[in-house]
């Protein structure tokens, strides 16, 4: 386990770089959507993120577009252009053209985030616009990054699987807090990982409650570690008292040392960084 004896400091292993697969950057003056899930009154800039990562020995990261700002991906693109070890997932309208996607790929984007957890009514993924969109993403070898509450995941995953696109699921699939591993969404996530084109972020434990490590353990028991990813969710919007180091230390409860190199970095390197920026 690459955590040193100095609290809050992470020592990077030369043979297994740490990859944080879910961070956010935003400026205070960015326009918020009407009635957003969160309304931060501060900013977390690319420079602040860079300093946080450096402090903890993390060189690679994936910036996730955050739902409060919708498809305002401008600042993310600016941050990615000058940082070759960073990648990003954008929030986009399904009408986005192939030409626009290719421009985003040159900036360092590798996927599209689906922040469906904010929606009372899920979009129709069987519509032509979404089928065309998913076809383009699959053709570019991008992934969709799904953020949705566990009970509704079974309504979405079959459409994504049929499209052939790679899928990355946030926060252990956010199972129902009462049903937990018996939640239909947890079962659907397990089956999807077994099919070979779905990855899961072992993240957001501080959002899910005391049973989060148990859920992560159970998921890994069922499907192994090859498609598990670590993520901090920095800067922990809505739960800012969370510490960065605790998001790695939390894995001690779920992931054995033998699998830690894969979960903390190697799996993510293969998923997000195997192709040059801009490659389709």
């Amino acid at each position: 386990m690459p955590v040193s004896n100095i609290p809050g400091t992470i020592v990077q292993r030369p043979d297994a770089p740490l990859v944080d697969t879910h961070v956010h950057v935003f400026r205070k003056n960015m326009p918020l959507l009407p009635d957003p899930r969160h309304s931060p009154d501060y900013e977390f800039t690319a420079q602040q993120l860079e300093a946080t990562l450096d402090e903890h020995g993390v060189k690679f990261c994936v910036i996730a577009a955050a739902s409060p700002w919708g498809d305002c991906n401008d600042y993310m693109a600016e941050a990615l252009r000058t940082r070759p070890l960073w990648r990003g997932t954008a929030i986009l309208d399904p009408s986005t053209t192939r030409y626009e996607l290719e421009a985003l790929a040159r900036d360092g984007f590798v996927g599209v985030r689906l922040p469906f957890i904010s929606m009372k009514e899920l979009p129709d993924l069987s519509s032509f616009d979404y089928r065309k969109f998913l076809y383009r993403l699959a053709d570019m070898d991008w992934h969709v990054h799904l953020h949705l509450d566990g009970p509704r995941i079974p309504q979405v995953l079959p459409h994504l699987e049929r499209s052939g696109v790679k899928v990355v699921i946030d926060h252990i699939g956010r199972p129902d807090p009462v049903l937990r591993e018996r939640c239909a969404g947890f079962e659907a996530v397990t089956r999807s990982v077994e099919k070979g084109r779905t990855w899961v972020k072992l993240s957001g434990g501080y959002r899910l409650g005391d049973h989060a490590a148990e859920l992560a353990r159970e998921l890994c028991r069922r499907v192994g570690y090859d498609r598990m990813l670590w993520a901090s969710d920095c800067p922990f919007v809505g739960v800012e008292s969370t510490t960065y180091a605790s998001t790695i230390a939390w894995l001690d409860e779920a992931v054995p040392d033998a699998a830690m190199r894969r979960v903390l970095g190697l799996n993510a390197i293969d998923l997000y960084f195997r192709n040059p920026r801009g490659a389709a």
Side-chain angles (χ1 to χ4, degrees):
M1 177 68 184
V3 179
S4 77
N5 293 324
I6 304 172
T9 302
I10 298 165
V11 178
Q12 186 168 342
R13 291 177 174 174
D15 62 334
L18 303 180
V19 183
D20 191 338
T21 64
H22 190 123
V23 294
H24 301 293
V25 294
F26 47 88
R27 301 302 301 265
K28 192 171 182 179
N29 64 345
M30 285 170 52
L32 290 163
L33 289 173
D35 193 26
R37 292 183 70 237
H38 302 287
S39 302
D41 59 359
Y42 61 94
E43 64 180 17
F44 191 69
T45 65
Q47 291 75 22
Q48 288 172 284
L49 172 61
E50 202 162 38
T52 300
L53 298 177
D54 285 347
E55 178 186 353
H56 295 87
V58 181
K59 298 300 181 186
F60 295 80
C61 75
V62 183
I63 305 176
S67 60
W69 297 277
D71 63 356
C72 185
N73 301 296
D74 308 39
Y75 184 59
M76 285 180 58
E78 178 186 330
L80 293 173
R81 286 182 193 125
T82 56
R83 294 172 175 87
L85 301 184
W86 292 15
R87 296 291 186 269
T89 60
I91 293 176
L92 297 172
D93 188 271
S95 63
T96 302
T97 66
R98 175 69 181 245
Y99 178 83
E100 292 168 317
L101 291 172
E102 289 172 347
L104 289 168
R106 289 190 291 274
D107 287 336
F109 287 91
V110 291
V112 170
R113 193 173 193 209
L114 304 178
F116 291 171
I117 195 168
S118 306
M119 300 180 177
K120 293 181 180 178
E121 301 261 339
L122 294 173
D124 181 6
L125 297 187
S126 67
S127 68
F128 176 71
D129 277 350
Y130 263 103
R131 286 186 288 112
K132 176 179 63 177
F133 188 45
L134 294 172
Y135 163 80
R136 286 174 173 160
L137 299 180
D139 194 50
M140 292 179 64
D141 199 31
W142 276 27
H143 70 278
V144 292
H145 167 192
L146 178 64
H147 188 203
L148 183 60
D149 48 289
R152 293 194 291 171
I153 281 180
Q155 300 176 45
V156 172
L157 264 184
H159 294 282
L160 299 180
E161 290 171 346
R162 281 195 294 272
S163 75
V165 73
K166 295 181 294 188
V167 181
V168 177
I169 296 175
D170 264 346
H171 307 329
I172 324 176
R174 301 192 76 126
D176 179 275
V178 176
L179 294 175
R180 300 184 183 183
E181 71 275 8
R182 301 188 308 278
C183 172
F186 192 86
E187 297 285 350
V189 169
T190 299
R191 291 192 300 271
S192 193
V193 173
E194 289 172 340
K195 293 175 184 176
R197 293 187 65 81
T198 295
W199 287 255
V200 180
K201 293 181 185 176
L202 301 182
S203 62
Y206 65 94
R207 297 188 188 276
L208 301 179
D210 294 340
H211 60 282
E214 180 184 340
L215 288 169
R217 242 187 338 264
E218 177 60 17
L219 179 63
C220 293
R221 185 190 69 78
R222 296 186 189 187
V223 300
Y225 302 95
D226 288 346
R227 296 185 182 275
M228 299 296 113
L229 307 165
W230 164 67
S232 71
D233 200 17
C234 180
F236 323 111
V237 175
V239 196
E240 284 82 0
S241 60
T242 304
T243 64
Y244 192 95
S246 71
T247 66
I248 291 185
W250 172 81
L251 285 183
D252 270 335
E253 302 180 55
V255 178
D257 285 348
M260 200 60 80
R261 291 173 67 247
R262 280 179 281 164
V263 176
L264 283 173
L266 296 182
N267 293 340
I269 290 289
D270 183 57
L271 175 62
Y272 297 105
F273 294 90
R274 62 182 175 179
N275 294 327
R277 287 165 69 128

